[in-house]
Amino acid sequence: MGLVTLEHFAGCVGSGFDIDMGESSLPLTLSEARPLPESGFAGMRRSPFSLMFRSGSQVVLPQKLYRLKNATLGQMEIFLVPVARDKAGIVYQAIFN
């Protein structure tokens, strides 16, 4: 997919992503895609952004690189970090800078 940007994900908010778990997959929903403040480093190749994914499962996956698949964007690897838990499930965040 090359260098991903916020624009790649902005149109996918509310859509499903599947984490490849080997023999099975775990569904996530992209709940938020937002820009982050720019630091102004020389030579930046993209503006920083954050993605928030929600899982309906109560099982917390460890932070690591996961292979995700989306109907629009295809397959990609994203480093996910669990950041919250509520009655509805777990929230994961990915930061691109």
Side-chain angles (χ1 to χ4, degrees), residues 51-53 60-61 80-85 90-94:
L51 302 176
M52 302 297 275
F53 294 91
V60 179
L61 299 176
L80 296 176
V81 177
V83 294
R85 168 187 268 164
I90 310 298
V91 177
Y92 296 91
Q93 184 176 33

Side-chain angles (χ1 to χ4, degrees), residues 4-88:
V4 296
T5 64
L6 176 61
E7 290 73 28
H8 286 106
F9 292 96
C12 293
V13 172
S15 69
F17 286 74
D18 289 317
I19 296 179
D20 182 354
M21 304 297 287
E23 297 291 319
S24 63
S25 64
L26 176 70
L28 298 177
T29 300
L30 179 61
S31 58
E32 179 182 286
R34 65 179 175 89
L36 294 174
E38 291 197 32
S39 304
F41 292 112
M44 285 181 60
R45 295 177 53 203
R46 69 168 158 229
S47 296
F49 65 98
S50 167
L51 302 176
M52 302 297 275
F53 294 91
R54 178 169 283 283
S55 166
S57 171
Q58 289 296 325
V59 176
V60 179
L61 299 176
Q63 67 178 26
K64 70 175 204 172
L65 190 65
Y66 290 96
R67 182 177 304 273
L68 277 73
K69 184 169 65 171
N70 172 267
T72 301
L73 300 176
Q75 290 190 16
M76 67 206 75
E77 291 188 343
I78 297 179
F79 191 85
L80 296 176
V81 177
V83 294
R85 168 187 268 164
D86 60 21
K87 292 179 189 176

